[in-house]
Amino acid sequence: MGKIILRKYSYQQKKCLYPTPLEGILDFKVNGRIILTQGNFLTANSYESFKKSPKVAQDYLAITYCPMYIYEWDWNASSLGKIEDYEFMNIYGTRNSSSRIWPAFGHHGGGCEIIMTKGELMCNKKIVLEGCRSDDIFRFDSARSDVLYISHLVITVIFEWFKKFELFAEAGQKEKRWVCKIVYSSGIVFSWYEKVSEKRYSISCGCMEDGEIVKQLKFWGYVWDDTNDTRLLAGPETKILPVTGLGTRDRKEIRYALEKDIENVLSEIYNKITVLAKYFDKISVPIQLPQPENIECEHKPSWD
């Protein structure tokens, strides 16, 4: 076992990294609870193109901004899980291993990420990336109250919407297995696995702001399947949803107005990506997946 280099690609300069709810994992439980695990998302790739082209990094990390800085930390692979002050896991809960990033926000994903759920890393040295502008208007790069409010609303609607499919599957299609988690980081992403099609699905949501007011939401839907070195990808199917009156109207009114709209968008995208799944073998595009060094990258979650 050799050295592991963990990296943080960032839109802003950092002084230190530590677990935060803005980069946590939201886990849906059968009993109706939503459990938050605070974290900080790092990548475990030694992928030279990330340094040469920030846009390549954005595609493989599936983030809503073009990264301008890289911070790096060297770890001994054999001691990664033995330091009491730190804890690392992947999105599926496996300790001390990475997993493939879900496609989201118009990007194919597929890089290997590992989540620091305990500890603090000082950002003593940065690499400055050049030739990249954050021109994606649907980006999440702040913790402003309007963004958090709308994001929380989307999460709540997703949870209620997805529960309907769980009940439907239990009652009429027991061969389907649905498992869902949400990543709440540069936006909102949730993913599930359908046993019948043996494919994975994800829907992501980003905010477009005007000043400090959220004006639009954009949703992206994908179908994909991974092997050790290739991702087959279909999508995205997209939809833009206007958000009107935020900042001038009562938030309860906005909630009532948006809940049904968000639910309708989720259902529309779901219907479209199930069609993609039906023709997946004919329309999917192969994406070469980068490999991490000296750390496992789990490409098939345990619930597959």
Side-chain angles (χ1 to χ4, degrees):
M1 298 291 284
K3 182 174 67 173
I4 299 172
I5 301 177
L6 298 182
R7 298 177 176 87
K8 181 70 174 184
Y9 286 78
S10 178
Y11 175 68
Q12 299 172 323
Q13 296 190 58
K14 303 284 187 181
K15 292 184 178 179
C16 65
L17 299 182
Y18 49 85
T20 165
L22 295 179
E23 297 195 19
I25 309 164
L26 288 171
D27 192 0
F28 292 162
K29 299 298 183 181
V30 176
N31 61 6
R33 299 175 64 200
I34 303 177
I35 305 299
L36 169 66
T37 300
Q38 297 190 30
N40 209 295
F41 288 79
L42 308 170
T43 183
N45 289 119
S46 295
Y47 195 65
E48 289 304 314
S49 292
F50 279 16
K51 292 182 180 179
K52 296 176 182 177
S53 173
K55 284 292 189 182
V56 173
Q58 183 177 11
D59 284 336
Y60 277 98
L61 299 175
I63 49 181
T64 60
Y65 52 85
C66 186
M68 300 178 68
Y69 305 98
I70 308 175
Y71 296 93
E72 295 184 340
W73 298 270
D74 293 351
W75 291 80
N76 187 307
S78 62
S79 65
L80 186 64
K82 299 177 181 179
I83 305 173
E84 292 185 0
D85 293 337
Y86 292 90
E87 180 180 74
F88 296 92
M89 62 187 290
N90 68 28
I91 194 67
Y92 307 114
T94 305
R95 304 287 181 181
N96 307 316
S97 70
S98 60
S99 56
R100 293 294 180 189
I101 297 169
W102 303 335
F105 314 117
H107 306 288
H108 53 64
C112 292
E113 70 181 0
I114 191 167
I115 308 161
M116 182 176 65
T117 54
K118 177 184 177 183
E120 183 174 304
L121 296 172
M122 300 305 297
C123 301
N124 295 322
K125 182 181 178 182
K126 68 177 181 288
I127 300 170
V128 180
L129 300 174
E130 297 181 358
C132 186
R133 293 168 46 244
S134 277
D135 51 4
D136 188 344
I137 62 172
F138 291 94
R139 69 175 184 266
F140 184 100
D141 56 16
S142 70
R144 287 191 282 266
S145 60
D146 286 338
V147 172
L148 296 180
Y149 177 76
I150 293 296
S151 299
H152 178 74
L153 174 60
V154 174
I155 289 167
T156 302
V157 175
I158 286 172
F159 182 51
E160 295 300 322
W161 176 81
F162 201 86
K163 281 201 303 185
K164 296 177 182 179
F165 284 90
E166 287 190 311
L167 294 173
F168 176 75
E170 289 177 7
Q173 299 188 13
K174 292 183 179 180
E175 70 276 12
K176 284 188 176 181
R177 182 183 179 191
W178 300 87
V179 180
C180 181
K181 294 190 176 185
I182 291 180
V183 180
Y184 182 20
S185 132
S186 56
I188 303 164
V189 192
F190 71 104
S191 178
W192 69 96
Y193 173 74
E194 185 181 322
K195 195 170 184 179
V196 173
S197 65
E198 298 182 335
K199 301 294 184 296
R200 273 165 289 189
Y201 302 73
S202 67
I203 296 179
S204 50
C205 176
C207 297
M208 189 273 280
E209 296 178 277
D210 182 4
E212 295 188 0
I213 305 298
V214 176
K215 293 294 186 180
Q216 292 180 345
L217 299 178
K218 186 171 182 178
F219 295 81
W220 296 261
Y222 292 90
V223 185
W224 84 97
D225 188 38
D226 286 353
T227 62
N228 283 320
D229 59 1
T230 304
R231 166 165 291 175
L232 295 177
L233 183 69
E237 295 288 352
T238 64
K239 182 75 174 183
I240 293 177
L241 178 63
V243 178
T244 59
L246 191 60
T248 60
R249 292 167 53 190
D250 186 281
R251 287 179 183 242
K252 289 183 179 179
E253 293 182 22
I254 297 169
R255 183 182 186 91
Y256 293 141
L258 272 178
E259 278 183 343
K260 192 63 179 178
D261 289 340
I262 294 171
E263 183 177 340
N264 289 339
V265 169
L266 294 173
S267 296
E268 180 180 335
I269 290 182
Y270 170 78
N271 290 334
K272 289 181 177 180
I273 60 180
T274 53
V275 174
L276 296 183
K278 183 177 180 180
Y279 299 101
F280 186 80
D281 291 341
K282 294 182 179 179
I283 65 174
S284 59
V285 176
I287 307 296
Q288 189 69 29
L289 298 177
Q291 298 300 318
E293 291 184 0
N294 300 316
I295 187 171
E296 179 185 355
C297 189
E298 188 175 357
H299 72 282
K300 293 274 188 184
S302 57
W303 39 264
D304 273 17

